[in-house]
Amino acid sequence: MDTSSGIQEPFDLIRLSLSERVFVKLRGDRELTGILHAYDGHMNLILSDVEETIMLVDGTEGAPPGHGVVNVAKRKMEMLFVRGDGVILVSPPSRT
Amino acid sequence: MDGTPPPPEATPPPPPPVTSGSPTEFLKNVVGKRVVVRLTSGVDYLGMFFSRLRVLSCLDGYMNIALEQTEEHVNGTVTNRYGDAFIRGNNVLYISAAEPL
């Protein structure tokens, strides 16, 4: 069997990111960065020291793609439970 | 008229499958190669199937995906780069090989 550094399934990528700052992309044009404390098979997440970034596209619908006015709202939270079904992507810190 | 001759040209049997192509076979073949993962939202992720140590360590039964050297493409432009990325399977529309198999 592989040892602690082994990646046998995608979830191991998450397991190796525990206690690290991760980037999470969510449905609804939201992104989070925070310290990952726990997760489960649904990808429910417990994060601390979280910053949420919300992308709001304003302006006319007829604007060419990429030229809509994008407003970015940010807010910070100490501790957060993220329901797994909203998660699109989790990216661990780059370890090189 | 007994002893009827066999029909002159029996239809040939269907050729054996060339690529022994099951979905699993495809996935095994793209491990360690660059792939495009398209999400239902239309966002594309171009990356390498995680290939450290074990075959198919990059996929599970939910089609959760582990990619490395990942580029996020929206409308053909790169919008983000991630060293490693975990994609939750429910968002996946398809997985496509980005290089010849």
Side-chain angles (χ1 to χ4, degrees):
Chain A
M1 290 301 287
D2 297 318
T3 48
S4 59
S5 69
I7 296 202
Q8 301 179 38
E9 53 168 349
F11 273 115
D12 291 345
L13 208 55
I14 309 301
R15 181 170 53 80
L16 295 173
S17 309
L18 285 168
S19 307
E20 309 253 27
R21 184 164 286 278
V22 294
F23 169 89
V24 182
K25 194 175 166 69
L26 296 174
R27 293 169 175 263
D29 295 318
R30 288 162 192 264
E31 296 174 354
L32 302 172
T33 61
I35 313 269
L36 179 64
H37 287 273
Y39 69 95
D40 65 14
H42 297 109
M43 283 305 284
N44 296 323
L45 305 173
I46 306 285
L47 299 173
S48 72
D49 190 17
V50 186
E51 182 172 78
E52 179 181 23
T53 307
I54 308 164
M55 264 72 73
L56 303 157
V57 179
D58 277 6
T60 54
E61 278 297 314
H67 289 73
V69 182
V70 179
N71 276 342
V72 175
K74 286 181 187 270
R75 60 172 174 161
K76 297 196 176 189
M77 287 151 286
E78 266 186 25
M79 194 61 88
L80 195 64
F81 176 100
V82 184
R83 190 179 149 96
D85 66 352
V87 173
I88 295 175
L89 175 144
V90 179
S91 181
S94 60
R95 57 177 88 78
T96 46
Chain B
M1 287 286 272
D2 47 2
T4 55
E9 287 179 37
T11 56
V18 181
T19 53
S20 64
S22 68
T24 310
E25 200 66 25
F26 169 80
L27 292 172
K28 281 180 184 166
N29 286 333
V30 294
V31 168
K33 299 217 164 61
R34 290 190 77 71
V35 293
V36 176
V37 177
R38 171 157 291 190
L39 307 190
T40 50
S41 61
V43 180
D44 282 336
Y45 290 93
L46 179 62
M48 193 86 79
F49 256 1
F50 229 92
S51 57
R52 297 175 200 169
L53 295 177
R54 276 273 293 266
V55 169
L56 284 187
S57 59
C58 46
L59 268 172
D60 65 15
Y62 295 109
M63 215 169 281
N64 293 323
I65 296 173
L67 291 177
E68 49 190 341
Q69 303 167 35
T70 311
E71 292 175 354
E72 179 182 88
H73 292 248
V74 179
N75 297 322
T77 57
V78 178
T79 51
N80 243 323
R81 289 176 205 277
Y82 309 105
D84 299 334
F86 172 100
I87 299 173
R88 196 172 188 266
N90 67 306
N91 302 294
V92 174
L93 180 64
Y94 65 63
I95 299 166
S96 163
E99 59 183 277
L101 294 181

